[in-house]
Amino acid sequence: MGSSVLSKIWDAHAIGEDEDGRTLLYIDRHLTHEVTSPIAFEALREAGRKVRRPDLTFAVTDHNVPTHDRDLPVESGMSLRQMELLRQNARENGVMLFDYESQDQGIVHVIGTELGLTVPGITLACGDSHTSTHGVLGALAFGIGTSEGEHLFATQSLWIKRPREMRIKVNGRLHAGVYAKDVVLKIIRDMGTGGAIGHSVEFCGETVDSFSVEERFTLANMIVEGGARTAIMSPDEKVLNYVRGRRFAPKSSEWDAAAASWRELASDPGAGYDAERSFDVSRLEPQVSWGTNPAMTVGVTETVPSPADAKTERERVSIERAVGYMGLTPGMRVTDIPVEVVFIGSCTNARISDLVEAARFVRGRHVRQGVRALVVPGSQAVRAQAELMGLASVFRDAGFEWRNAGCSMCIAMNGDELKQGQRCASTSNRNFENRQGTGGRTHLVSPATAAAAAIEGRFVDVRELGRV
Amino acid sequence: MMDRSGNVVGVAAPLEWDDVDTDQIVPAEFLKVVEKKGMGRYLFYRRRYGQDGAERADFVLNQPAYRSAAILVAGANFGIGSSRENAVWALLDGGIRCVIATSFGDIFENNAARNALLCVRLDEPTVARLRSLARKGAAFYIDVPAQTVTAGSEVTAFQMDPHAKKRFLEGRDEVSTTLETCGPAISGYEARMPAWAHPSSVSPVE
Ligand code: SF4
């Protein structure tokens, strides 16, 4: 019997157990942001405590920061208050903060990996459900609530029930124009929103191996929408190359020892799993969500489902509700759905490779009249790199708004939001009712499909555009 | 209502849809609030109120029979999505002490345990039966020590995580307990933490 990558990291960090079968895990890295931290810091202060390990704790403002010009004032009083509170709390506790004006600012899951705060073999936690993203680097990462955040501040550890382990194998060569986003949407569509509840998902298989590290982030990020507790992957040479040289990663003298330990982390061939799934993606087409949760997804050449096709009464009710909310006609073709807003952003799909793929479908063309399109880079570093590569002007020339980094319209807390009834092609991860603004309608897609929708004013099959 | 032994008694409201994500429980715009108290105002905000701010009569918690509900009988995947603990605070502040469902989002369930919101997981036929009893206005009684739900004349046993049970019945300051019982283990790990697990020395804060 071999061990999985999860077991190896788990065993190295398990420092206690209670009579209820929970384990106390030491957490090597705690990332925090302005929205879920204020009450945790407040509770800490009330108890007369301080952050135990400020050197392992990092803060960033991302969820509700404006993405317009950084020289303009922050208009929302509530946003300002949370940003100011984080500043105070970070200062009081000696925690490093990547603040609004910093060149390092960005979405917590984008900067964590980009700055080398996340490295293989560590445990990491953050008060945000998409913390699973960091698992790509072979780290064991957990999204936590505010009370757990307080516990972590005070003790640098968390009581956790060991997750069951599910291995998802993805095989097959993707057709050009089909991306990691389409793969994960398809997996969630097949498994349902609760398919992986209680599990940590380990991704493997030839498709995953062939993916770049950034493509893998999209998979691990979004599998949370299938109910997963977290995601993890065996770190390979691509991961080591990705980590090497990053700001907080081990430096020259320590690198060799670190790399040697990390190479030991990969799951052993005989490792056992509680559940296994496999997917063949060689015939996968681009995916578009039509409903109000990420499992409500179809291929771009398919049609919107009809309540009449439901197998159970509850399913019928949920399709009817979703189609009604989304303002769609059952049976209509996905490619006949008009799009009014396009959002390219979020921790799922706003890294440099995402912008490169989106730009392919934009270069030399113009956003359809009446469509509002935004690109919100995942971090200021991604933004700077995109400017250097000339991508920013591709988007700007085509009529896209070119923004500063933040969560923006993924969660619509910062003023970037849909109006009542507006329909959006979005590269984010959640299409829940009102997620992108009250009454807003979200279709989850890859950056390529989003970019093409901006140009055409409706969904199109990007495989037919001859740009890849 | 919670009686003195920590059991839950009261009206149960049926929720007729699955996949109640935490965005539905508390919309993101109310996450800017930095106090837990009063969060009940935002509970199910978009379902509760129309665009004009008036209550929607079709939402169960607005109906006279369910206004004082202490229990929700939901369906599959309750509390999936965002990690916001505000969802739990809003339910509690809105008078809900217990949610019955076939499955729960993991982080939601964790957050619930830490705030003594009871999550009761039962199989689909049982939950469907309880939902129909809730529709008929049956009185619900949840006996936490015995792990049973009594609805009308029907008694159903449920499984419960021992830790969640303890938290529900006793409540305790977990931070103090951890520091008292595991302080040396935490320091022990810190002493042997490998160099590479530490963020390498860096330029100062900008
Ligand atoms: S981009 Fe969206 S999903 Fe990602 S951390 Fe921000 S709000 Fe959460």
Short mmCIF file of all heavy atoms in Angstrom, two decimals, chain B residues 131-159:
data_model
loop_
_atom_site.label_atom_id
_atom_site.label_comp_id
_atom_site.label_asym_id
_atom_site.label_seq_id
_atom_site.Cartn_x
_atom_site.Cartn_y
_atom_site.Cartn_z
N ARG B 131 -40.75 17.02 5.03
CA ARG B 131 -41.17 18.24 4.34
C ARG B 131 -42.69 18.28 4.24
O ARG B 131 -43.32 19.31 4.44
CB ARG B 131 -40.52 18.31 2.96
CG ARG B 131 -39.82 19.62 2.74
CD ARG B 131 -39.11 19.76 1.41
NE ARG B 131 -39.20 18.65 0.52
CZ ARG B 131 -38.18 17.86 0.18
NH1 ARG B 131 -36.98 18.08 0.65
NH2 ARG B 131 -38.37 16.87 -0.64
N SER B 132 -43.27 17.12 3.95
CA SER B 132 -44.73 17.15 3.80
C SER B 132 -45.40 17.33 5.16
O SER B 132 -46.42 18.00 5.26
CB SER B 132 -45.24 15.94 3.00
OG SER B 132 -45.44 14.86 3.85
N LEU B 133 -44.78 16.82 6.23
CA LEU B 133 -45.32 17.07 7.57
C LEU B 133 -45.20 18.57 7.91
O LEU B 133 -46.10 19.15 8.52
CB LEU B 133 -44.59 16.23 8.62
CG LEU B 133 -44.98 14.74 8.61
CD1 LEU B 133 -43.97 13.91 9.40
CD2 LEU B 133 -46.38 14.56 9.20
N ALA B 134 -44.09 19.18 7.50
CA ALA B 134 -43.90 20.61 7.75
C ALA B 134 -44.96 21.41 7.00
O ALA B 134 -45.51 22.39 7.52
CB ALA B 134 -42.50 21.05 7.32
N ARG B 135 -45.26 20.97 5.79
CA ARG B 135 -46.30 21.64 5.00
C ARG B 135 -47.65 21.59 5.71
O ARG B 135 -48.44 22.51 5.61
CB ARG B 135 -46.41 20.96 3.63
CG ARG B 135 -45.82 21.77 2.51
CD ARG B 135 -45.96 21.03 1.18
NE ARG B 135 -44.64 20.62 0.71
CZ ARG B 135 -44.31 19.41 0.31
NH1 ARG B 135 -45.21 18.43 0.31
NH2 ARG B 135 -43.10 19.16 -0.10
N LYS B 136 -47.87 20.48 6.44
CA LYS B 136 -49.16 20.34 7.14
C LYS B 136 -49.13 21.03 8.50
O LYS B 136 -50.12 20.98 9.24
CB LYS B 136 -49.47 18.86 7.33
CG LYS B 136 -49.80 18.16 6.03
CD LYS B 136 -50.14 16.70 6.26
CE LYS B 136 -50.19 15.93 4.96
NZ LYS B 136 -49.40 14.69 5.02
N GLY B 137 -47.97 21.61 8.84
CA GLY B 137 -47.90 22.35 10.10
C GLY B 137 -47.67 21.48 11.33
O GLY B 137 -47.94 21.90 12.45
N ALA B 138 -47.14 20.28 11.14
CA ALA B 138 -46.87 19.40 12.29
C ALA B 138 -45.85 20.05 13.23
O ALA B 138 -44.96 20.77 12.78
CB ALA B 138 -46.33 18.06 11.79
N ALA B 139 -45.97 19.78 14.51
CA ALA B 139 -44.99 20.29 15.47
C ALA B 139 -43.72 19.43 15.37
O ALA B 139 -43.80 18.22 15.20
CB ALA B 139 -45.56 20.22 16.87
N PHE B 140 -42.57 20.07 15.42
CA PHE B 140 -41.30 19.35 15.35
C PHE B 140 -40.58 19.43 16.70
O PHE B 140 -40.61 20.46 17.35
CB PHE B 140 -40.39 19.97 14.27
CG PHE B 140 -40.62 19.43 12.89
CD1 PHE B 140 -41.87 19.55 12.27
CD2 PHE B 140 -39.58 18.80 12.19
CE1 PHE B 140 -42.07 19.06 10.98
CE2 PHE B 140 -39.78 18.31 10.91
CZ PHE B 140 -41.01 18.44 10.29
N TYR B 141 -39.93 18.32 17.04
CA TYR B 141 -39.14 18.30 18.27
C TYR B 141 -37.86 17.53 17.96
O TYR B 141 -37.92 16.38 17.53
CB TYR B 141 -39.95 17.61 19.38
CG TYR B 141 -39.16 17.40 20.66
CD1 TYR B 141 -38.87 18.48 21.49
CD2 TYR B 141 -38.70 16.14 21.01
CE1 TYR B 141 -38.14 18.31 22.64
CE2 TYR B 141 -37.96 15.96 22.18
CZ TYR B 141 -37.69 17.04 22.99
OH TYR B 141 -36.95 16.86 24.13
N ILE B 142 -36.75 18.18 18.14
CA ILE B 142 -35.49 17.49 17.85
C ILE B 142 -34.75 17.26 19.17
O ILE B 142 -34.39 18.21 19.86
CB ILE B 142 -34.65 18.28 16.85
CG1 ILE B 142 -35.44 18.34 15.53
CG2 ILE B 142 -33.31 17.60 16.60
CD1 ILE B 142 -35.10 19.50 14.67
N ASP B 143 -34.59 16.00 19.50
CA ASP B 143 -33.93 15.63 20.74
C ASP B 143 -32.47 15.35 20.41
O ASP B 143 -32.13 14.31 19.84
CB ASP B 143 -34.63 14.38 21.31
CG ASP B 143 -34.06 13.98 22.66
OD1 ASP B 143 -32.87 14.25 22.90
OD2 ASP B 143 -34.81 13.38 23.44
N VAL B 144 -31.60 16.29 20.74
CA VAL B 144 -30.20 16.16 20.33
C VAL B 144 -29.48 15.03 21.09
O VAL B 144 -28.83 14.20 20.46
CB VAL B 144 -29.47 17.51 20.43
CG1 VAL B 144 -28.00 17.35 20.05
CG2 VAL B 144 -30.14 18.54 19.53
N PRO B 145 -29.62 14.95 22.42
CA PRO B 145 -28.93 13.83 23.10
C PRO B 145 -29.36 12.47 22.55
O PRO B 145 -28.53 11.59 22.36
CB PRO B 145 -29.35 14.00 24.56
CG PRO B 145 -29.70 15.44 24.70
CD PRO B 145 -30.26 15.87 23.38
N ALA B 146 -30.65 12.31 22.29
CA ALA B 146 -31.13 11.01 21.80
C ALA B 146 -30.98 10.88 20.28
O ALA B 146 -31.19 9.81 19.72
CB ALA B 146 -32.59 10.83 22.18
N GLN B 147 -30.67 12.00 19.60
CA GLN B 147 -30.54 12.03 18.14
C GLN B 147 -31.79 11.55 17.42
O GLN B 147 -31.74 10.67 16.57
CB GLN B 147 -29.29 11.24 17.69
CG GLN B 147 -28.02 11.86 18.22
CD GLN B 147 -26.75 11.16 17.77
OE1 GLN B 147 -25.73 11.30 18.39
NE2 GLN B 147 -26.80 10.40 16.68
N THR B 148 -32.92 12.16 17.77
CA THR B 148 -34.17 11.84 17.07
C THR B 148 -34.91 13.11 16.69
O THR B 148 -34.80 14.14 17.35
CB THR B 148 -35.13 11.01 17.96
OG1 THR B 148 -35.37 11.73 19.17
CG2 THR B 148 -34.57 9.64 18.27
N VAL B 149 -35.63 13.01 15.58
CA VAL B 149 -36.55 14.07 15.16
C VAL B 149 -37.95 13.53 15.34
O VAL B 149 -38.27 12.45 14.81
CB VAL B 149 -36.37 14.41 13.65
CG1 VAL B 149 -37.37 15.50 13.23
CG2 VAL B 149 -34.96 14.84 13.35
N THR B 150 -38.78 14.25 16.10
CA THR B 150 -40.18 13.86 16.21
C THR B 150 -41.01 14.90 15.46
O THR B 150 -40.91 16.09 15.74
CB THR B 150 -40.63 13.81 17.69
OG1 THR B 150 -39.73 12.98 18.39
CG2 THR B 150 -42.05 13.28 17.82
N ALA B 151 -41.77 14.43 14.47
CA ALA B 151 -42.63 15.34 13.71
C ALA B 151 -44.01 14.73 13.73
O ALA B 151 -44.19 13.62 13.23
CB ALA B 151 -42.11 15.50 12.29
N GLY B 152 -44.98 15.43 14.31
CA GLY B 152 -46.29 14.84 14.49
C GLY B 152 -46.11 13.58 15.33
O GLY B 152 -45.50 13.62 16.40
N SER B 153 -46.54 12.45 14.79
CA SER B 153 -46.40 11.22 15.57
C SER B 153 -45.21 10.38 15.08
O SER B 153 -45.01 9.25 15.52
CB SER B 153 -47.69 10.41 15.47
OG SER B 153 -47.97 10.19 14.11
N GLU B 154 -44.46 10.94 14.15
CA GLU B 154 -43.38 10.16 13.55
C GLU B 154 -42.03 10.44 14.23
O GLU B 154 -41.64 11.60 14.40
CB GLU B 154 -43.28 10.53 12.07
CG GLU B 154 -42.45 9.55 11.29
CD GLU B 154 -42.63 9.77 9.79
OE1 GLU B 154 -43.77 9.99 9.35
OE2 GLU B 154 -41.61 9.73 9.09
N VAL B 155 -41.31 9.40 14.61
CA VAL B 155 -40.00 9.58 15.24
C VAL B 155 -38.92 8.99 14.34
O VAL B 155 -39.02 7.84 13.92
CB VAL B 155 -39.95 8.88 16.62
CG1 VAL B 155 -38.62 9.18 17.31
CG2 VAL B 155 -41.11 9.32 17.50
N THR B 156 -37.90 9.79 14.04
CA THR B 156 -36.82 9.33 13.15
C THR B 156 -35.49 9.54 13.85
O THR B 156 -35.23 10.62 14.37
CB THR B 156 -36.81 10.19 11.86
OG1 THR B 156 -38.13 10.27 11.36
CG2 THR B 156 -35.88 9.61 10.84
N ALA B 157 -34.64 8.53 13.81
CA ALA B 157 -33.31 8.68 14.40
C ALA B 157 -32.36 9.25 13.35
O ALA B 157 -32.53 9.01 12.16
CB ALA B 157 -32.81 7.33 14.88
N PHE B 158 -31.37 10.04 13.78
CA PHE B 158 -30.36 10.53 12.83
C PHE B 158 -28.96 10.35 13.38
O PHE B 158 -28.77 10.21 14.59
CB PHE B 158 -30.64 11.99 12.45
CG PHE B 158 -30.60 12.98 13.60
CD1 PHE B 158 -29.40 13.60 13.96
CD2 PHE B 158 -31.75 13.30 14.31
CE1 PHE B 158 -29.37 14.52 15.01
CE2 PHE B 158 -31.72 14.21 15.36
CZ PHE B 158 -30.53 14.82 15.72
N GLN B 159 -28.00 10.31 12.47
CA GLN B 159 -26.59 10.20 12.85
C GLN B 159 -26.06 11.59 13.09
O GLN B 159 -26.51 12.55 12.46
CB GLN B 159 -25.79 9.59 11.69
CG GLN B 159 -26.20 8.19 11.30
CD GLN B 159 -25.85 7.21 12.39
OE1 GLN B 159 -24.75 7.22 12.92
NE2 GLN B 159 -26.82 6.36 12.74
#
